[in-house]
Amino acid sequence: MRMSRRTSLFLTAFGVWSWIIWITFARNLWNSDNAWNDDGSATPFFWVHLLLAVTSFVLGTIIGLIGWRGLRASRNREPAR
């Protein structure tokens, strides 16, 4: 399957954007008062949102890699004349 350069750029940008957003989210989650009980243990709020962040990291990475591979493949293709 071939992907346009525009689509490849979009997918790569989406992967980068996902990492930027979810790293910020994970930092904010870690520092949140809702994430920790008084005894220092993690709350269900923390675990649910950590699962969300990890899932988004994984999907963002996969989507970004698909876009990156599409960009690399588009460089190797001969231009139509």
Side-chain angles (χ1 to χ4, degrees):
M1 180 176 137
R2 288 192 180 172
M3 199 177 342
S4 71
R5 185 162 173 80
R6 177 181 279 173
T7 301
S8 297
L9 282 169
F10 174 78
L11 293 177
T12 303
F14 178 86
V16 170
W17 176 255
S18 291
W19 272 85
I20 292 168
I21 291 300
W22 287 101
I23 285 174
T24 302
F25 179 85
R27 263 194 226 131
N28 291 338
L29 176 63
W30 188 266
N31 295 324
S32 172
D33 293 335
N34 295 333
W36 308 103
N37 289 321
D38 292 334
D39 63 356
S41 62
T43 63
F45 173 86
F46 174 83
W47 291 113
V48 167
H49 287 85
L50 181 64
L51 179 63
L52 249 173
V54 169
T55 302
S56 295
F57 280 132
V58 170
L59 292 175
T61 300
I62 291 168
I63 291 168
L65 287 174
I66 290 170
W68 181 252
R69 289 180 69 191
L71 282 174
R72 285 187 20 207
S74 71
R75 288 184 196 146
N76 295 335
R77 276 188 241 144
E78 292 287 324
R81 293 181 186 196

